[in-house]
Amino acid sequence: MLAARIGMVLGALMLVAAFFLPWGAADGEWRDAAAATPDVMFYEPTGMTVAEAADISLLEYAQVYASMDGAWAVYTAIMYATAGVSVLALILAALGKPWGASVLALVAVAGSRLLAWDFQDRGVLPGATHDWGIAPAVYIAGGVILLAAAIWTIVMRRKAKAAQADQG
């Protein structure tokens, strides 16, 4: 049971960490240019330099979108909601609640897939300067690990209840 619970927590930690990992990774040409001019601003309202934008996370995308008016607030909300749901999944995984952690993991993965689809549909990623970072893959891997560990936990609990009923 402990191994399954650790697996759930590990998967949920991956979901939380993915929000801070690179969602977009700059190509070699962009990295070289950023290294040559590290103090040049990438996006003035957030104070992000080109060097900081080489590997841009969902947190940084959310900060950029939050600085703009209009429909960008929807993207910001989806990004922060995905992070929030991931944190809640981590809490439930740590408490040993496989059903709740599984549902929230699926919501977090669905949020990340929605964002990935949107970024690709609008031509944000992959683009002329950036390709996909590691975060989209970490969301999927974390969700799969959490879900597998949660199923393992549920099966072991049912077997333990059945064994206890047979003894009683």
Side-chain angles (χ1 to χ4, degrees):
M1 287 286 267
L2 182 61
R5 195 162 176 181
I6 290 170
M8 285 194 325
V9 170
L10 176 65
L13 277 171
M14 290 173 70
L15 294 175
V16 172
F19 187 70
F20 302 98
L21 293 173
W23 185 262
D27 62 15
E29 205 173 300
W30 175 273
R31 284 186 191 283
D32 293 343
T37 56
D39 296 332
V40 171
M41 282 293 165
F42 176 73
Y43 189 66
E44 190 77 36
T46 61
M48 185 184 303
T49 65
V50 292
E52 294 169 335
D55 293 310
I56 187 166
S57 68
L58 272 183
L59 172 63
E60 292 162 327
Y61 272 117
Q63 291 169 343
V64 168
Y65 287 175
S67 71
M68 295 188 264
D69 294 330
W72 301 107
V74 172
Y75 298 112
T76 305
I78 293 169
M79 290 175 203
Y80 284 127
T82 301
V85 166
S86 299
V87 169
L88 290 175
L90 175 60
I91 292 168
L92 291 178
L95 293 173
K97 306 292 185 189
W99 287 105
S102 296
V103 168
L104 292 176
L106 290 173
V107 171
V109 171
S112 75
R113 295 289 79 211
L114 174 65
L115 290 168
W117 169 80
D118 175 66
F119 274 48
Q120 191 165 13
D121 188 55
R122 288 187 296 120
V124 176
L125 290 172
T129 60
H130 286 69
D131 203 354
W132 294 106
I134 192 161
V138 172
Y139 270 112
I140 293 171
V144 167
I145 290 170
L146 191 149
L147 193 58
I151 291 169
W152 184 18
T153 301
I154 292 166
V155 167
M156 288 190 329
R157 284 183 181 171
R158 288 194 179 176
K159 283 184 179 181
K161 280 185 183 179
Q164 190 177 24
D166 288 343
Q167 289 177 353

